[in-house]
Amino acid sequence: MLQSRKSLSHRLLWLALLLSLGIGALTVRTLWTLRNDEWNYALQANANLVGTLSRSLEWTLDAVDQSLLSVASELERVKDLSATAQLRQQVRFEGLMRLQGLGDVLVLNAQGDIILDSGFSEPRKANFADRDYFRAFKDGRHEGLFIGKPVPSRVSQLNSLPMARAYHTPDGAFAGIVLSAVRLSYFNELFASVNLGDNSGVNLFRADGIIVSRFPYGDLDVGKSIAGSANMLRFQQENQGSFVGLAELDGVERSYSFTRVGRFPLILNVAQARSTIESKWTRSAWGLGMFTLLLMLSCMALAVLFSRELQRRQAISARLLRAERDMSTILHSIPSVVGSWDANLYNRFGNQAHEIWFGVPLEKLRGMHMSEMLGSKRFGYTEPLLRKALEGEPQVFETTLTDKQGMARHVIVSYTPERDGEQVLGLFIQLTDITDRKHMEDQLFEEKELMRLTLQSIGDAVVCCNAAGHVTYLNPVAQRLTGWQGFDAAGRDVDEVIRLLPSDAEVELDSPLRTAMQNDRPMAATRGVVEHRATHQRFDVELSASPIADRHGHVTGAVAVLRDVTQAVAMAARMARLAHYDALTDLPNRVLLQDRAQQAIAQAQRDGKHVGVLYLDLDGFKQVNDAMGHDVGDQLLVQWAQRLQAAVRQTDTVCRQGGDEFVLLLPGIGNAQQATVVARKIMAQCEAPFMLQGVAVPMGLSGGISLYPEHGRDLDELTRHADAAMYAAKQAGRNQVRLYEGTGQPPRLVVQQAALA
């Protein structure tokens, strides 16, 4: 009965729907036919119109061309074109056709000047050598009639379409052109008789896309080019025809009927807007469509009202059936064991999982006592919990059982009392398999333990924090570097536990951990200093940080790795010093001297000062080395270096050049006399003997001086000249300092030490 009512309701709805669709289809077909008729009429009318206008334009332009050709022929028969009065008698303008809109005929010579004017006996003054039509004939690029770009006439100032032909001398050379023009107002007057509706009109183009006339839109677009547009390409390729397209200038969709104007390089089209063509049909379509829609809706509404009562009755039965089916499907699809048992522990319902877990078919399960399903041994284990549940206390616990397939399952068991007020009518029992979860928990614990042991074993410090920036973990190396214990640092702000400072300042650097979390990307290693919490010992570290994300990509924290590079930094500092200082005397070496010399010379150039260079050599050093050994010689060099540093200013540089040779750089001195004063101080340092292994050893000194800029422009040149002066001092008997005097001049003695005993 229910099925027959449902079938009847569907049949009524289908019948109403088919009837409505039939009415709608008939209406659509009628409207489509009416629309096609409107378009066919418009296309035919526009094609006839463009043909009529084209023939009228062709007749006019052909007449102008014949007039120009006649004048050009007469000009080519004239032998002397210089005599204007005689030329005007020989060239008859009276025979030219006087057409409405046609301008005067002008004859131009080979230089573009007017030599004959049909409108005036004395030719008007104007030059047309820059016009496109003149250049085309002048350069020999064109023959026959040339239609130029629409421009204002230079003699009448009216917008015109120029038309020109060339004439030649008897020997064939270019002699000039015959020029006339059709005023653009002529085209507008011709097209004004046509009324095509809103957004519609007549357009005249040159074949290259230049706009000649666009009626009724005025002359604003005259001279513009639509070359390369889709519509223009079609005009140029097909010569004549009709199509629908978007206008290049205003984007309006129009129906175009177009044709070439005879043999002339012009294209005429009639452009009627789609909205204009379809306006009458649109009004009819709206009226007929609304009536049809109302009729279709009425038909469907009657069918719906008629079948609503049947649907209400069907809905109640369907909901009940669906609820029963859904409940059964859900319970049998649950991977857990779900069952309902009465107060005496006899089964009232069980899902399909009972058969898989306990091997009891559903048809035997109903009415079975729980002890039969579980067996007496397992039932004895669970009976006390069952009794508590029957007394009204819900029970939830974990246990392990082996199913009928021999698979060990770890399960969560829940006993939920089914109540009717205070009375317990039975139990709702659910067993959920959590074997996979237990395995995952065990694996997670093992991985966590492995990670903990790994972090405790590595040599780098590791610090972890949560998304709020609170410390969650420190490994032993991190505790040693920071002085924080793990339990004490837990929950504190990570920037409090790790204060990363620059090596040469007390200002904290930006927190790499927070930056990594904010940018959600790893941060490159940052060099800084970490201070021990208790001892305030400072450690140079390289800190790198990376964000920690969950499986959804959300940042949940960050981890930082701190590598102790204190020893590496100290080693780098030592290597940097060795690169610039002598290992024995701890004096600047040649590299550092070169750098300071460049600065001193640059400063001297700005201040107008001098720079002095002293080249010094200990007299008798080789004898000490040979007699007392190299170790003693090294002691002598160290003592001598200390005496040198005591004798010079802080701004001066003492450099060990090699062996017992030393170089002094004296920046910012005023003259050679100041360098001589320093030389005397240094010479005085040799007066006292050197104590070497308890023996007083007297030493002499020879030296040479050179000055910037008199004796050289750079350190190499100054050192070379100071060395030459020192060599002269040694040649002259040692124990003296000489000043370089220039090329070819002997160095001058400036300081001399008394002879040593």
Side-chain angles (χ1 to χ4, degrees), residues 163-416:
M163 299 176 63
R165 275 186 175 273
Y167 64 93
H168 301 83
T169 61
D171 59 358
F174 172 73
I177 65 171
V178 182
L179 172 65
S180 185
V182 180
R183 290 191 291 272
L184 297 188
S185 60
Y186 165 75
F187 300 117
N188 292 334
E189 292 170 1
L190 176 63
F191 300 153
S193 61
V194 178
N195 184 9
L196 299 174
D198 294 338
N199 291 320
S200 305
V202 183
N203 304 300
L204 182 63
F205 305 94
R206 276 200 337 182
D208 59 357
I210 299 297
I211 298 175
V212 176
S213 176
R214 191 166 182 258
F215 182 84
Y217 306 105
D219 295 340
L220 292 178
D221 297 324
V222 170
K224 293 182 180 179
S225 175
I226 62 169
S229 66
N231 291 350
M232 195 64 210
L233 291 174
R234 193 158 181 178
F235 295 155
Q236 293 168 339
Q237 293 170 359
E238 299 181 9
N239 291 330
Q240 67 177 4
S242 299
F243 67 91
V244 177
L246 290 176
E248 175 72 17
L249 295 176
D250 55 17
V252 176
E253 187 177 21
R254 295 183 175 92
S255 171
Y256 292 95
S257 294
F258 64 95
T259 184
R260 287 260 184 172
V261 180
R263 59 186 174 84
F264 302 99
L266 297 173
I267 298 173
L268 178 71
N269 74 46
V270 172
Q272 190 171 20
R274 173 187 287 272
S275 59
T276 301
I277 297 174
E278 296 181 352
S279 60
K280 182 179 179 181
W281 173 83
T282 301
R283 291 191 296 271
S284 300
W286 273 105
L288 184 58
M290 294 300 295
F291 176 76
T292 302
L293 180 61
L294 179 62
L295 185 62
M296 293 171 64
L297 292 176
S298 300
C299 182
M300 290 299 300
L302 289 174
V304 169
L305 290 174
F306 191 79
S307 63
R308 180 173 294 176
E309 187 62 29
L310 288 177
Q311 292 178 351
R312 287 179 179 176
R313 295 172 182 266
Q314 294 168 3
I316 296 173
S317 299
R319 283 198 297 269
L320 292 175
L321 183 62
R322 188 184 310 113
E324 182 180 354
R325 184 175 63 252
D326 291 346
M327 181 63 68
S328 177
T329 301
I330 292 171
L331 290 175
H332 287 298
S333 301
I334 293 176
S336 303
V337 173
V338 178
S340 177
W341 305 77
D342 62 19
N344 296 318
L345 299 180
Y346 286 96
N347 181 266
R348 294 182 299 192
F349 170 81
N351 67 349
Q352 195 71 39
H354 284 81
E355 185 172 354
I356 300 173
W357 286 39
F358 301 104
V360 180
L362 293 182
E363 58 271 13
K364 294 183 179 181
L365 178 64
R366 181 164 298 189
M368 179 181 290
H369 194 270
M370 188 176 295
S371 60
E372 295 182 57
M373 184 184 73
L374 296 178
S376 58
K377 184 176 181 181
R378 177 166 291 279
F379 180 74
Y381 295 153
T382 60
E383 187 176 11
L385 298 174
L386 290 169
R387 295 304 173 190
K388 288 184 179 181
L390 289 173
E391 292 173 0
E393 299 180 20
Q395 302 294 310
V396 178
F397 59 94
E398 294 185 14
T399 186
T400 302
L401 61 84
T402 303
D403 62 18
K404 286 299 181 180
Q405 287 76 31
M407 179 185 299
R409 297 176 182 265
H410 197 91
V411 297
I412 291 180
V413 182
S414 65
Y415 298 156
T416 304

Side-chain angles (χ1 to χ4, degrees), residues 70-115:
S70 174
V71 172
S73 298
E74 293 182 6
L75 288 169
E76 290 179 347
R77 289 195 295 270
V78 175
K79 295 182 180 180
D80 184 8
L81 298 177
S82 59
T84 304
Q86 182 181 359
L87 183 62
R88 187 172 182 85
Q89 293 178 358
Q90 294 177 334
V91 178
R92 295 184 300 277
F93 291 112
E94 291 76 7
L96 296 177
M97 296 184 63
R98 292 298 178 182
L99 300 174
Q100 182 181 2
L102 179 64
D104 294 327
V105 177
L106 305 176
V107 177
L108 310 180
N109 61 16
Q111 288 74 40
D113 296 317
I114 302 175
I115 60 175

Side-chain angles (χ1 to χ4, degrees), residues 579-755:
H580 294 88
Y581 288 86
D582 179 55
L584 176 63
T585 62
D586 201 32
L587 293 176
N589 61 11
R590 179 74 178 182
V591 176
L592 186 54
L593 177 66
Q594 183 75 33
D595 181 63
R596 292 185 179 177
Q598 291 177 356
Q599 298 179 22
I601 291 173
Q603 186 66 38
Q605 288 177 342
R606 292 191 293 269
D607 299 341
K609 296 285 188 178
H610 296 266
V611 177
V613 174
L614 272 69
Y615 205 101
L616 305 175
D617 183 84
L618 288 173
D619 296 330
F621 174 75
K622 184 176 184 304
Q623 290 79 356
V624 173
N625 239 3
D626 295 341
M628 304 181 71
H630 291 287
D631 291 341
V632 176
D634 290 344
Q635 294 177 18
L636 173 59
L637 292 176
V638 171
Q639 292 183 30
W640 175 233
Q642 294 170 352
R643 294 189 185 188
L644 282 176
Q645 287 180 307
V648 298
R649 302 170 299 177
Q650 290 185 349
T651 57
D652 298 336
T653 300
V654 180
C655 167
R656 183 188 176 200
Q657 184 76 354
D660 61 335
E661 295 180 351
F662 293 81
V663 177
L664 272 68
L665 180 69
L666 308 176
I669 62 176
N671 48 45
Q673 184 61 34
Q674 293 184 15
T676 302
V677 172
V678 176
R680 288 197 183 96
K681 290 182 180 180
I682 294 172
M683 187 68 77
Q685 294 292 328
C686 281
E687 292 178 357
F690 293 86
M691 297 303 296
L692 303 174
Q693 292 186 342
V695 178
V697 179
M699 295 295 297
L701 177 67
S702 297
I705 302 175
S706 63
L707 296 176
Y708 170 85
E710 293 92 334
H711 305 144
R713 306 300 295 180
D714 55 36
L715 179 62
D716 291 339
E717 192 174 1
L718 292 171
T719 304
R720 187 168 64 251
H721 292 158
D723 183 30
M726 183 200 73
Y727 181 76
K730 282 188 175 291
Q731 292 292 323
R734 304 180 184 247
N735 295 323
Q736 59 183 256
V737 178
R738 289 183 174 267
L739 175 66
Y740 182 77
E741 289 292 312
T743 304
Q745 300 295 325
R748 177 165 56 89
L749 177 66
V750 292
V751 179
Q752 187 168 19
Q753 186 180 22

